Amino acid sequence: MNFSYKTKGTCSRQIDLEINDNIVTNVVFYGGCDGNLKAIPRLVDGWTADQIADKCSGVLCGFKNTSCADQLAHAVLAAKEAEHAQK
């Protein structure tokens, strides 16, 4: 299932991803720090939504109360919920 998430409080504007049976692939960030947002998708490709949320939730960027990684945690949990509702 394709899923799009509008980020809040970060330089990135949106995260697109695919989730199938709780496995997340093809993560794409729009906006934000180029290097980090190329590396994060490579690192988490094939992980479960729960694994990503466990590792990325609560990561902060500077003085912000969130980060792109933290927003990814929110995105994958929302995608997991949407996938579950679809079944």
Side-chain angles (χ1 to χ4, degrees), residues 31-49:
C33 303
D34 189 52
N36 288 336
L37 302 182
K38 287 178 182 172
I40 293 170
R42 289 182 186 186
L43 293 170
V44 302
D45 191 62
W47 288 13
T48 67

Side-chain angles (χ1 to χ4, degrees), residues 1 13 25-27 31 33-34 40 42 45 50-51 56-57 59 65 70 72 74 76 82 87:
M1 175 182 101
R13 300 176 308 279
T25 58
N26 299 318
V27 175
C33 303
D34 189 52
I40 293 170
R42 289 182 186 186
D45 191 62
D50 296 321
Q51 289 172 316
C56 295
S57 185
V59 173
N65 63 358
D70 184 59
L72 177 60
H74 291 280
V76 297
K87 291 185 177 183

Side-chain angles (χ1 to χ4, degrees), residues 1-83:
M1 175 182 101
N2 292 323
F3 187 81
S4 291
Y5 181 84
K6 299 287 185 191
T7 60
K8 299 163 192 76
T10 60
C11 298
S12 63
R13 300 176 308 279
Q14 179 174 316
I15 303 169
D16 289 346
L17 58 91
E18 291 181 34
I19 187 167
N20 293 300
D21 295 325
N22 198 35
I23 303 296
V24 177
T25 58
N26 299 318
V27 175
V28 178
F29 286 85
Y30 296 93
C33 303
D34 189 52
N36 288 336
L37 302 182
K38 287 178 182 172
I40 293 170
R42 289 182 186 186
L43 293 170
V44 302
D45 191 62
W47 288 13
T48 67
D50 296 321
Q51 289 172 316
I52 295 169
D54 287 345
K55 293 288 186 184
C56 295
S57 185
V59 173
L60 304 181
C61 182
F63 296 104
K64 296 177 183 179
N65 63 358
T66 191
S67 67
C68 291
D70 184 59
Q71 289 295 294
L72 177 60
H74 291 280
V76 297
L77 292 177
K80 177 183 170 182
E81 185 176 310
E83 182 184 39

